[in-house]
Amino acid sequence: MQQGAQQSVTVASPASGASPDLLPHFLLEPDDVYIVKNKAVSLACRATPATQIYFKCNGEWVHQGDHVTQRSTDRSTGLPVMEVRIEITRQQVEKLFGLEEYWCQCVAWSSSGTTKSQKAFVRIAYLRKNFEQEPTSREVSIEQGVVLPCRPPEGIPPAEVEWLRNEELVDPALDANVLVTPEHSLVLRQARLADTANYTCVAKNIVARRRSSSAAITVYVNGGWSTWTQWSGCSTSCGRGWQKRSRTCTNPTPLNGGAFCEGQNVQKSACTTLCPVDGDWSEWSKWSVCGAECTHWRSRECSEPAPRNGGQECHGPELETHNCTSELCSPTTPGAEDLALYVGLIAVAVCLVLLLLVGVLVYCRKKGGLDADVADSSILTTGFQPVSIKPSKADNLLTIQPDLSTATMTYQGSLCPRQDGPAKLQLPNGHLLSPLGAGRHTLHHSSPAAEGADFMARLSTQSYFRSLPRGTANMAYGTFNFLGGRLMIPNTGVSLLIPPDAIPRGKIYEVYLTLHKHEEVRLPLAGCQTLLSPIVSCGPPGVLLTRPAILAMGHCVEAGAEHWSLRLKKQSCEGTWEDVLQLGAEPRTELYYCQLEAQACYIFTEQLGRFALVGESLSMAASKRLKLVLFAPAACPSLEYNIRVYCLSDTQDALKEVMQLEKQMGGQLIGAPRVLHFKDSYHNLRLSIHDMPSSLWKSKLLASYQEIPFYHIWSGLQPYLHCTFTLERLSPSTCELACKIWIWQVEGDGQSFTINCNIAKDTRFSDWLVPDSEVGSPALVGPSAFKIPFLIRQKIISSLDTPCARGADWRTLAQKLNLDSHVSFYASKASPTAMILNLWEARHFPNGNLSQLAAAVAEVGKQDGALFAVSEAEC
């Protein structure tokens, strides 16, 4: 086929039979075609009425000889019909490669004019071999969404894509869990076990069919624990034994490499079964007097011991009768028997009347409010300070004696007797609640401070020892009995108060208190939760306490409680952390209570264990207190000089850790720490250094500032967060530095301030320690651990525990001491007054003002308006 110039085409005259008034219209127009390999393609068009039809390709007429023409007549109209075909080869199309697309168009003539057809494009079809993107193998969890991308090879016409699963066609119309996106990606909405297979992407057009590499999708199932079985029976039928329960990793069973369940599949617990006691007979009673029928009897009881705990009853008769001898058979006069009966009844009646009178007197005495001992204010004044008293005096104010059955204790010190004297002093002028300075308190016990190695050796044999920190730097321990005591970790604000009678009488416990570093314990936090306190353990776990102990530790919560959701977490024996108390909400159990104050929290707990305070902000007004601390080297032999700025949680334990770390590194504190309120605004903390004399120093920091990411600070789990500013002296003789460090929260509405850094040649740094009132012995046992003397404490408790109509009871005392935020918790305990005094001890030891406490107790007794006074002799 050849193409000629436009002027070489000869156009014949229209046929005489054509309609002179009609323009030709096309019955068939050429369509787009693709050349596959080297096969020529044919273009055709048909028009009526038409005298001539020619093809025009890319603006040039096709030679008349390359046309194949066929003429006919339309039977219905009688008009002439003309059809023309041409062939296009690959070589013709490739001549224009890269210039423009190859196209052809029909032009039809009639006597009335010409008509042009649509353009038909001729393209060379192809499909490249390599996929632009192939699917890759993956392992996914069950019910997880899966996307397998596929970008087919380049081709003309564009390739169609289909997916094969294990060589079988994937049809989205038959499976609602499968979707093929317009970008040809295969989507599994939720992976199922049946979706584990080899997936292949297939691209095809009229030229070829290509296959991608197969992608293996493995759907795995992580194991889950079944529910615990019921506890088994105790291993022993008498005494102490064990019981256990189990669970299996079958809910679901791990499949296709899924993770096995974490944790133990068997739990053991100690149990005690009461031993059965068989009953036994008491001694026979004496024989009765021989009766009128010449018989007498005697009896015995099944009471030595009585049967209990499933023991067997006594065997044999409990009543025995025998015949009397003839000389004992003497009938009794009926009148004498009746007289004896009447006398006995009268005696019983008199006794009952006397008992009733005594009960009424006791009841009236109790209803009178505070008893006479408390109504007299000597309990509130002289009772708290030692004065001389003879032990033989019978009318001592307090006669309660401590139980020394489980410890050897020497308690010397006297209490004021009640004396009636003419001279009186008003209560506020007296010395209230003075400690027993003249007395002597000695408690002989096994002291862990002196025998620390022995204590740690015994502790290492316990199963929970592996979760405790090594060494004793952040640990306190002691041996305690019913007198209670206190454990403290110096310079951390962490302490444990064991109140009197919290340990059952006759028991002696070795108790420990530990402060964990963040890397030692894993505390999972969900969402935007943040750790607000240190992680503290007290134990041993499972110890029996009859009254709550009080665990004190610092926190860094700032702003009102309405901006926070605060939770007390406790680690269970399985190692998981559980919410045991939500602060501000009604407690789910009476085992725990938390008194939250400005910088510390006091946790009441009857179960020792591992605790932490966790919070979640409810608004962007919530903020944490950060303590900003600057350190620099004490000596600088080189030209470089580093200033380290630490951003810590504002708790004493965090500062203590950094102080110890810097001491090892040879660093010393520059100035006093500063406090910054870090808000939950998702913005980072930015630090920069300014106003440094450029003639003496230069900064080696490339950027103008440094940043600490928001989440690193907010989580509270990353210790020792700091930025280092590295400076260089321009001269070795430079020994002074004055600069400013700016610290602010980026784009937040939190604080921003400047820290002045002045270092001179003769600067002398001193170790700055937290002002902690707890410096001293980490373990205090017995009376030395408490401000309030034991006997005075017992007297206050016995006087205020009983509700009083005039309000002179423990509720008023809680109000006076500002400890009435959760009165229902105190009321749930056997002694509410003891709970209030214990909390006062935990908050104010050892520098608490006993005079203020005495004044509060005195105010409780003044509800009726009476003015208490004590004699001068009593003071």
Side-chain angles (χ1 to χ4, degrees):
M1 180 185 301
Q2 297 179 354
Q3 293 182 351
Q6 183 175 353
Q7 61 269 22
S8 65
V9 177
T10 303
V11 180
S13 299
S16 59
S19 173
D21 300 327
L22 296 176
L23 285 173
H25 68 276
F26 285 95
L27 302 176
L28 175 66
E29 293 185 83
D31 292 324
D32 295 343
V33 291
Y34 294 95
I35 297 176
V36 179
K37 298 182 180 179
N38 293 318
K39 295 181 182 178
V41 294
S42 176
L43 298 178
C45 61
R46 185 187 310 125
T48 184
T51 57
Q52 292 294 336
I53 298 177
Y54 290 101
F55 273 92
K56 195 175 186 180
C57 294
N58 283 77
E60 297 183 355
W61 293 105
V62 178
H63 194 276
Q64 184 177 6
D66 295 332
H67 293 72
V68 177
T69 305
Q70 182 178 354
R71 300 179 184 272
S72 62
T73 303
D74 191 339
R75 295 180 181 180
S76 59
T77 61
L79 296 176
V81 177
M82 187 173 186
E83 181 176 347
V84 176
R85 294 179 180 274
I86 64 172
E87 286 190 348
I88 306 295
T89 65
R90 185 185 183 100
Q91 290 76 10
Q92 291 177 265
V93 176
E94 287 179 342
K95 287 181 181 180
L96 294 176
F97 178 76
L99 299 177
E100 58 180 328
E101 288 190 294
Y102 194 94
W103 58 269
C104 293
Q105 185 181 37
C106 283
V107 181
W109 281 266
S110 70
S111 60
S112 299
T114 62
T115 303
K116 294 181 180 180
S117 71
Q118 66 181 9
K119 287 183 179 181
F121 290 91
V122 182
R123 300 180 177 91
I124 299 175
Y126 68 93
L127 183 63
R128 300 194 185 281
K129 293 183 179 180
N130 297 326
F131 281 75
E132 295 184 6
Q133 184 179 10
E134 294 186 292
T136 57
S137 299
R138 293 179 58 188
E139 294 183 353
V140 296
S141 175
I142 194 168
E143 297 184 354
Q144 180 182 343
V146 183
V147 178
L148 292 176
C150 177
R151 292 172 59 190
E154 180 186 354
I156 295 180
E160 299 177 356
V161 173
E162 60 185 18
W163 285 86
L164 301 179
R165 178 196 287 143
N166 289 341
E167 303 303 323
E168 293 184 2
L169 182 65
V170 176
D171 189 355
L174 301 179
D175 190 348
N177 193 48
V178 177
L179 171 68
V180 178
T181 67
E183 293 78 21
H184 311 299
S185 297
L186 180 67
V187 177
L188 304 178
R189 292 186 171 92
Q190 287 186 328
R192 305 159 299 189
L193 288 176
D195 294 326
T196 299
N198 292 323
Y199 290 83
T200 307
C201 180
V202 178
K204 61 181 180 179
N205 64 4
I206 59 177
V207 178
R209 186 172 187 267
R210 312 289 188 202
R211 289 168 58 98
S212 70
S213 302
S214 294
I217 298 298
T218 303
V219 181
Y220 64 85
V221 179
N222 291 326
W225 288 114
S226 65
T227 57
W228 288 102
T229 62
Q230 296 294 326
W231 286 103
S232 64
C234 201
S235 60
T236 178
S237 58
C238 175
R240 186 175 180 84
W242 295 93
Q243 58 182 169
K244 66 179 181 179
R245 63 177 182 175
S246 61
R247 57 182 179 176
T248 57
C249 190
T250 56
N251 186 32
T253 303
L255 294 174
N256 297 335
F260 197 76
C261 303
E262 295 183 358
Q264 299 177 345
N265 63 340
V266 177
Q267 275 187 346
K268 287 186 177 182
S269 175
C271 59
T272 302
T273 305
L274 297 177
C275 298
V277 178
D278 295 335
D280 198 4
W281 292 112
S282 64
E283 295 292 335
W284 285 102
S285 66
K286 294 182 178 181
W287 287 101
S288 66
V289 179
C290 192
E293 291 97 9
C294 292
T295 59
H296 62 171
W297 54 270
R298 64 176 181 175
S299 64
R300 58 180 178 176
E301 295 180 352
C302 189
S303 59
E304 293 187 3
R308 60 180 181 271
N309 305 331
Q312 296 183 356
E313 295 286 342
C314 300
H315 297 287
E318 61 179 351
L319 185 67
E320 188 177 49
T321 59
H322 283 173
N323 291 329
C324 301
T325 56
S326 57
E327 54 270 16
L328 294 179
C329 293
S330 57
T332 306
T333 305
E337 292 180 355
D338 295 340
L339 180 60
L341 176 62
Y342 295 149
V343 172
L345 291 176
I346 292 172
V348 171
V350 171
C351 291
L352 291 176
V353 171
L354 292 175
L355 289 175
L356 180 60
L357 290 175
V358 173
V360 170
L361 290 175
V362 172
Y363 176 78
C364 293
R365 185 180 179 87
K366 289 185 176 179
K367 291 295 287 183
L370 294 175
D371 59 24
D373 291 337
V374 177
D376 191 329
S377 60
S378 61
I379 174 71
L380 305 175
T381 54
T382 56
F384 278 81
Q385 62 180 356
V387 296
S388 300
I389 182 173
K390 296 180 180 180
S392 59
K393 197 77 172 178
D395 55 349
N396 284 355
L397 173 62
L398 300 178
T399 57
I400 304 172
Q401 297 298 326
D403 183 357
L404 306 181
S405 58
T406 57
T408 302
M409 186 176 92
T410 302
Y411 183 93
Q412 294 185 359
S414 36
L415 302 172
C416 276
R418 179 177 312 198
Q419 299 178 358
D420 295 328
K424 299 287 182 178
L425 283 177
Q426 292 185 350
L427 177 67
N429 297 328
H431 298 284
L432 307 180
L433 291 177
S434 300
L436 298 179
R440 185 172 72 252
H441 307 267
T442 305
L443 176 65
H444 302 285
H445 68 288
S446 176
S447 173
E451 302 175 7
D454 293 341
F455 183 88
M456 295 301 292
R458 292 192 299 274
L459 196 63
S460 64
T461 62
Q462 305 300 321
S463 59
Y464 52 81
F465 177 75
R466 62 178 179 272
S467 65
L468 299 179
R470 300 298 176 259
T472 58
N474 289 325
M475 188 174 186
Y477 37 84
T479 306
F480 302 93
N481 61 4
F482 77 96
L483 291 174
R486 186 187 304 263
L487 290 175
M488 298 170 290
I489 302 178
N491 298 319
T492 64
V494 177
S495 65
L496 177 68
L497 176 72
I498 305 173
D501 293 326
I503 297 176
R505 296 187 177 235
K507 300 286 187 181
I508 296 179
Y509 292 157
E510 287 184 333
V511 182
Y512 64 82
L513 177 66
T514 63
L515 177 64
H516 294 274
K517 295 184 178 179
H518 295 291
E519 60 268 20
E520 294 173 346
V521 178
R522 182 178 179 270
L523 175 61
L525 297 178
C528 296
Q529 288 184 338
T530 173
L531 179 63
L532 299 171
S533 74
I535 301 175
V536 178
S537 291
C538 53
V543 67
L544 174 64
L545 296 178
T546 58
R547 292 186 181 181
I550 301 180
L551 176 64
M553 57 186 179
H555 66 77
C556 58
V557 180
E558 189 59 36
E562 67 275 9
H563 302 302
W564 286 94
S565 172
L566 302 175
R567 300 175 184 273
L568 178 66
K569 285 184 174 287
K570 181 176 182 289
Q571 192 174 31
S572 66
C573 57
E574 291 88 357
T576 59
W577 287 88
E578 302 171 348
D579 294 339
V580 295
L581 180 66
Q582 182 175 358
L583 276 66
E586 194 65 26
R588 296 174 294 178
T589 175
E590 297 177 354
L591 294 176
Y592 307 98
Y593 168 66
C594 182
Q595 175 83 14
L596 186 70
E597 300 190 355
Q599 294 185 339
C601 58
Y602 300 91
I603 302 166
F604 288 77
T605 176
E606 295 181 17
Q607 296 181 352
L608 302 183
R610 185 168 296 162
F611 296 91
L613 184 65
V614 171
E616 186 171 0
S617 63
L618 301 179
S619 69
M620 294 184 66
S623 64
K624 295 176 59 174
R625 292 192 315 274
L626 296 184
K627 182 155 288 184
L628 305 176
V629 194
L630 273 66
F631 284 92
C636 185
S638 65
L639 294 178
E640 285 192 355
Y641 194 77
N642 295 324
I643 299 177
R644 292 179 290 276
V645 184
Y646 287 85
C647 301
L648 314 171
S649 297
D650 185 18
T651 56
Q652 295 183 24
D653 64 284
L655 183 57
K656 178 184 176 181
E657 284 191 34
V658 171
M659 294 292 295
Q660 293 174 343
L661 176 64
E662 282 290 334
K663 191 171 183 179
Q664 296 173 0
M665 296 170 56
Q668 296 199 33
L669 188 68
I670 304 177
R674 299 282 296 273
V675 175
L676 179 141
H677 296 163
F678 189 76
K679 296 209 169 189
D680 184 16
S681 61
Y682 301 99
H683 296 299
N684 300 339
L685 190 68
R686 185 170 291 179
L687 304 92
S688 60
I689 188 167
H690 301 271
D691 297 347
M692 186 173 51
S694 58
S695 60
L696 302 176
W697 297 84
K698 72 174 182 179
S699 173
K700 301 189 71 174
L701 185 66
L702 299 180
S704 59
Y705 59 84
Q706 299 187 64
E707 279 191 353
I708 302 178
F710 169 82
Y711 286 105
H712 289 185
I713 299 176
W714 191 255
S715 68
L717 296 177
Q718 298 195 29
Y720 316 136
L721 282 175
H722 69 280
C723 288
T724 301
F725 292 95
T726 301
L727 311 179
E728 185 178 358
R729 291 182 290 181
L730 300 182
S731 170
S733 61
T734 302
C735 299
E736 295 183 356
L737 170 64
C739 62
K740 293 182 180 179
I741 296 178
W742 292 357
I743 304 173
W744 73 101
Q745 194 170 0
V746 182
E747 298 180 6
D749 54 356
Q751 287 180 293
S752 62
F753 54 79
T754 303
I755 298 179
N756 294 318
C757 178
N758 296 295
I759 304 174
K761 179 179 180 181
D762 57 348
T763 300
R764 292 293 182 266
F765 298 102
S766 60
D767 288 342
W768 189 91
L769 296 177
V770 184
D772 194 337
S773 60
E774 298 176 359
V775 175
S777 175
L780 298 175
V781 182
S784 62
F786 304 97
K787 291 285 292 181
I788 307 173
F790 181 79
L791 300 183
I792 302 301
R793 167 191 169 91
Q794 296 298 99
K795 192 63 177 179
I796 296 176
I797 292 173
S798 62
S799 301
L800 299 185
D801 270 350
T802 304
C804 179
R806 296 195 302 272
D809 57 20
W810 62 269
R811 294 177 179 85
T812 307
L813 179 62
Q815 184 179 4
K816 298 292 182 184
L817 298 177
N818 296 322
L819 298 177
D820 55 344
S821 60
H822 207 301
V823 176
S824 59
F825 172 77
Y826 304 140
S828 67
K829 301 303 177 183
S831 176
T833 311
M835 298 299 103
I836 298 172
L837 296 180
N838 293 342
L839 181 55
W840 187 91
E841 289 276 9
R843 296 171 67 197
H844 296 92
F845 186 86
N847 299 322
N849 191 331
L850 286 175
S851 298
Q852 294 179 358
L853 176 61
V857 176
E859 287 294 326
V860 175
K862 290 183 180 179
Q863 298 298 316
D864 57 358
L867 182 65
F868 292 104
V870 289
S871 66
E872 293 181 356
E874 291 175 334
C875 297

